[in-house]
Amino acid sequence: MLAALDDHGPLSQADIGRRVGLDRNDVNGILNRLEAAARVQREVDPANRRRNIVALTDDGRRYLAQIQHHAELVQDELLGALDAAERRQLQALLAKLLDGHGPQPA
């Protein structure tokens, strides 16, 4: 969710759920924890008072940077035996795999 907000700017809770593929109840629970930790802030959407707009805070950006740094360290350790071209190929294959398993129609 932090990365989605960082990539796309402030979003409604429903938009966040669609972007990360989570149910709105799950989104709400996660946002409650992020908001309690001052990593996001929610404000009522002035265009539609029934929905909230969620924005990343400065603390949320710092936390996201920490998470990304740790992920890069783990990735470097895990993929250390692969050269740069092999890493790109693996990433492309994983992206293709994920694209093939998107949300299924109900």
Side-chain angles (χ1 to χ4, degrees), residues 33-49:
R33 290 188 295 278
L34 290 170
E35 187 175 36
R39 295 189 172 124
V40 299
Q41 64 184 25
R42 284 188 261 205
E43 294 182 4
V44 175
D45 183 350
N48 181 348
R49 303 213 37 94

Side-chain angles (χ1 to χ4, degrees), residues 1-72:
M1 288 187 196
L2 296 175
L5 291 168
D6 190 49
D7 288 345
H8 303 286
L11 297 168
S12 71
Q13 289 180 206
D15 286 339
I16 293 170
R18 282 188 285 275
R19 290 191 186 278
V20 300
L22 290 175
D23 178 79
R24 71 177 178 182
N25 292 324
D26 294 330
V27 169
N28 191 53
I30 294 167
L31 288 176
N32 285 341
R33 290 188 295 278
L34 290 170
E35 187 175 36
R39 295 189 172 124
V40 299
Q41 64 184 25
R42 284 188 261 205
E43 294 182 4
V44 175
D45 183 350
N48 181 348
R49 303 213 37 94
R50 294 177 296 162
R51 72 180 194 175
N52 289 317
I53 298 296
V54 182
L56 198 57
T57 64
D58 288 340
D59 190 51
R61 280 186 187 80
R62 285 188 293 273
Y63 185 64
L64 177 59
Q66 290 174 352
I67 292 169
Q68 289 172 329
H69 175 72
H70 289 293
E72 288 169 6

